[in-house]
Amino acid sequence: MTHSVRMSAPTTSARPGAVGEPVAGAWPDGAGPGGADDSTICDVDVIRVSGGARLAGQVHVVGAKNSALKLMAAALLAPGQSVITNVPRITDIAIMGEVLRRLGCQVSFVDDAGPVTTGGGTGPAGDGARSCSVTIDVPEAPGTEADYDLVRRLRASICVLGPLLARRGYVRVAHPGGDAIGSRGLDMHVAGLARMGADISGEHGFVIASAPRGLHGATIWLDFPSVGATENLVMAAVLASGMTEIDNAAREPEIVDICTMLNRMGARIEGAGTSTLRIEGVPELRPVRHATVGDRIVAGTWAFAAAMTRGDVTVTGASPAFLEIALDKLVSAGCLVETRVDAFRVQLDRRPSAVDVVTLPFPGFATDLLPMAIGLASVSEGASLVTENIFDGRFMFVNEMARLGADIKTDGHHAVVRGRERLSSAPVRATDIRAGAGLVIAGLCADGVTEVSHVHHVDRGYPDFISDLRGLGVEVERATAPEEPAFTL
Ligand code: EPU
C-alpha cells in the first residue's frame, strides 16, 4: 500500500547518504549500542555467525524502538522535564536525542540495569545495558526546524512535525524521502494537518507547515491506517482547539503507548487501540515519566529464530498478546508455544511445516517480521506463500536470501518460498534493520559461517544483538570487514 505526496524540487543542500547511516560516537560515553563487546558503530562492520545452532535459553526484550522514538517527540508537547524509561539503547534513539537537542532540549541518557540473556551459551552473554532512561528538558519555545542531515539518518524524525506545529504554530522538517523498504509517502500526514487548519507546502526538500492562529479540531479519515500519520495527527490534535476524530487510525501497541503517555500528560484521547480516535484538545500539557512498551518485533524475531533452529527460547519483556497472529503461525508450523502476561516460550524439535503469511496493519502479521517469516519458510517442509501489503520494497532482501540458497520466487507483492532442509553459508549484505536481523537468523540454519555486512542496520533496532545470540548458544562474532581495494582507471 503506497501513496505519494507531491512535493517541490529536491533540496539543493542535500548530501549523499542513506537513511540509517551510522552515527559514530552518538552516545554520550562514546560507546556503541552494543555495549562493551561492540563499541564501534561502523558501516563496514560484519557479523559472522556459525550455522547449525540450536537456540536455547531466556532472552529479555526491552522497550520498542518504534514507540520510544515517538514518546521522545511527544515530550516536546510540554515544557519541563519528561523522563522516558525502558528505552532501547540503539543508534536511532541517539539520533532522536540529537534531533531534540538541536530543537533546544537538554537530553541525557542513563543506562538501566536489567536482566540479560541466560542459556546454554557458548560465550559470555554480556552485561552491557540494553535499555536506558532518557531525560528530556523541553524549553518554553522549542526550535522549529529538523535538518536533512539528521532526518536522512532517522526517518522517524518526521514525528516532530505534529508536536512542533501544535506548540509553535510553524515547523520546517526535512522530507525524509524513501528508503530500502519502499517509497514511504507523507500524504496522509500532510492532508490530516491541513484539515486541522495548517498551511503546508514543500520547498527545497523540506515540509513546511504553519498555523499562525493555531490548529483546530477536525474529522479525518485516513486512506490507510498509517502508523506515522496517526502519531503525528494525534500529537497535533492534543493541543488543537476543539474535537478531532481520526477514523481508520492505526491500532498498533505503540499507538496505544503514545496515547497513554499523552493522557498522563493531561491530554484527552479516547479509543486508543481501536480504529477511531477521539481527541479533545486541551490548552497545555505537563511533563511526565513514562515506561516504553516492550518491543514486539524484537520479541517476534526471537520467536522465529527459536522455530528456525528447532530450539527452545523463552522471551520476557513483551506481551504475547501483541504477537497473536505471529505466534499462531508458529503453532501451525509445529511449535509448542506457551504464553504468560509478558513472556512466552517457543519450542520446536522437528523441521517446521510451511505456513502462508500475509502482512497487514496491526493486529495483522507485522511487516517488520516479514524477513523472519521468509527465513522460516526457507527451511520449512513444503512451500509457503508470503504476501507483503505494507511496503513496496520489502522483498529487496530476498536476493540476499537467494545467496544463502533459499528458493524464493517473487511476483509483485507475493513470494513463493520452497523450503530446504539447510541453507548454504555465504557473504550477504543487510539492507535494512529487519532484513539484517533476518539474514543473521537465516545464517543459523546454514552450513558453515555466514558473514552479514552493513550490520549498522541491525544496530538500529536490536540492542546488543550479538550478546543475546551468544547467550542463547550461538557462535557469533562482530568484526571489521577487510578494506575493499579501490579500483582506478
Ligand atoms: N504511507 C503513505 N502515505 C502516508 C503515510 C504512509 O503512502 O502519509 C504508506 C507508506 O509508504 C507505507 C504504508 O503507508 O507503504 C505504511 O506506512 P506507515 O505510516 O504505517 O509506517 P511508518 O510510520 O512509516 C512505522 C514503523 C515501521 C513499520 C511501519 C508499519 C517507525 C519508526 N517505523 O513506519 O518500522 O514497519 O510503521 O508497521 O515507527 C522498522 O522498525 O524497521 C520499521 C520500518
Side-chain angles (χ1 to χ4, degrees):
M1 168 66 57
T2 53
H3 307 268
S4 59
V5 60
R6 279 180 193 82
M7 304 291 296
S8 59
T11 176
T12 46
S13 62
R15 299 201 323 247
V19 172
E21 190 176 278
V23 186
W27 290 95
D29 59 5
D37 263 357
D38 314 300
S39 58
T40 47
I41 308 173
C42 182
D43 61 350
V44 292
D45 274 5
V46 297
I47 290 178
R48 293 197 190 102
V49 61
S50 299
R54 177 182 177 271
L55 261 58
Q58 179 166 315
V59 61
H60 183 73
V61 165
V62 299
K65 163 183 87 80
N66 289 346
S67 204
L69 290 169
K70 324 306 170 59
L71 300 175
M72 289 172 74
L76 286 167
L77 285 160
Q81 193 177 88
S82 283
V83 180
I84 302 160
T85 62
N86 198 30
V87 172
R89 204 177 185 281
I90 51 173
T91 321
D92 279 15
I93 294 294
I95 304 176
M96 184 52 104
E98 185 57 24
V99 170
L100 296 182
R101 278 193 196 108
R102 292 210 203 158
L103 291 168
C105 303
Q106 283 175 26
V107 183
S108 57
F109 300 93
V110 176
D111 285 349
D112 294 337
V116 294
T117 306
T118 50
T122 52
D127 54 7
R130 268 74 157 170
S131 68
C132 58
S133 296
V134 187
T135 302
I136 304 164
D137 232 309
V138 181
E140 282 298 329
T144 54
E145 181 149 334
D147 286 328
Y148 187 55
D149 72 317
L150 291 179
V151 176
R152 78 193 162 101
R153 293 170 181 177
L154 178 66
R155 193 179 192 285
S157 328
I158 195 70
C159 67
V160 301
L161 186 65
L164 288 179
L165 184 60
R167 281 223 42 219
R168 299 298 316 278
Y170 175 82
V171 59
R172 196 166 173 267
V173 181
H175 192 295
D179 64 14
I181 57 173
S183 43
R184 311 194 76 172
L186 286 182
D187 54 335
M188 288 182 267
H189 302 238
V190 169
L193 292 173
R195 301 266 312 182
M196 295 167 72
D199 189 6
I200 308 199
S201 58
E203 234 171 64
H204 306 300
F206 280 84
V207 180
I208 302 168
S210 65
R213 288 183 300 283
L215 296 168
H216 55 72
T219 300
I220 299 165
W221 168 268
L222 297 179
D223 290 342
F224 178 83
S226 154
V227 171
T230 302
E231 289 161 344
N232 250 329
L233 297 176
V234 167
M235 287 191 277
V238 286
L239 290 182
S241 64
M243 181 70 85
T244 298
E245 187 171 299
I246 306 174
D247 284 320
N248 201 23
R251 293 186 277 163
E252 271 69 2
E254 295 77 29
I255 303 277
V256 176
D257 200 24
I258 196 170
C259 290
T260 304
M261 169 164 152
L262 289 169
N263 279 344
R264 294 182 55 224
M265 292 170 82
R268 294 195 188 132
I269 307 170
E270 281 177 13
T274 75
S275 298
T276 303
L277 293 171
R278 285 173 60 79
I279 304 142
E280 191 186 335
V282 295
E284 58 184 26
L285 297 177
R286 54 182 178 272
V288 75
R289 186 180 176 90
H290 181 84
T292 314
V293 68
D295 197 320
R296 66 195 163 99
I297 305 300
V298 175
T301 302
W302 293 124
F304 275 80
M308 286 169 66
T309 60
R310 304 178 203 184
D312 179 357
V313 174
T314 299
V315 184
T316 61
S319 169
F322 299 153
L323 280 168
E324 259 181 17
I325 293 185
L327 293 178
D328 195 56
K329 290 288 169 192
L330 293 180
V331 170
S332 303
C335 295
L336 181 63
V337 177
E338 291 168 48
T339 60
R340 296 203 308 267
V341 178
D342 67 349
F344 60 86
R345 179 176 180 185
V346 176
Q347 300 172 72
L348 186 64
D349 56 11
R350 61 165 176 83
R351 193 171 167 201
S353 309
V355 287
D356 294 343
V357 166
V358 180
T359 69
L360 282 171
F362 190 83
F365 188 96
T367 175
D368 290 337
L369 288 175
L370 178 116
M372 294 66 187
I374 297 248
L376 179 72
S378 301
V379 294
S380 291
E381 202 159 354
S384 310
L385 178 62
V386 180
T387 304
E388 166 63 26
N389 287 315
I390 315 292
F391 289 112
D392 49 21
R394 265 290 185 214
F395 283 146
M396 261 183 58
F397 98 110
V398 303
N399 296 327
E400 301 301 305
M401 285 295 293
R403 289 183 52 72
L404 294 178
D407 180 351
I408 308 172
K409 283 203 173 53
T410 58
D411 183 6
H413 62 133
H414 301 290
V416 173
V417 188
R418 291 183 180 84
R420 298 222 152 119
E421 175 78 38
R422 267 242 158 270
L423 298 174
S424 164
S425 59
V428 288
R429 179 184 168 145
T431 45
D432 71 84
I433 305 175
R434 311 302 169 188
L439 288 167
V440 173
I441 303 290
L444 298 173
C445 306
D447 58 354
V449 175
T450 292
E451 185 174 285
V452 183
S453 64
H454 288 72
V455 296
H456 62 277
H457 287 295
V458 182
D459 296 332
R460 296 186 47 213
Y462 294 81
D464 224 352
F465 197 47
I466 300 263
S467 293
D468 285 339
L469 282 166
R470 276 192 195 134
L472 293 172
V474 175
E475 265 180 52
V476 58
E477 64 168 14
R478 184 174 179 131
T480 303
E483 213 167 289
E484 298 207 354
F487 299 110
T488 48
L489 288 174

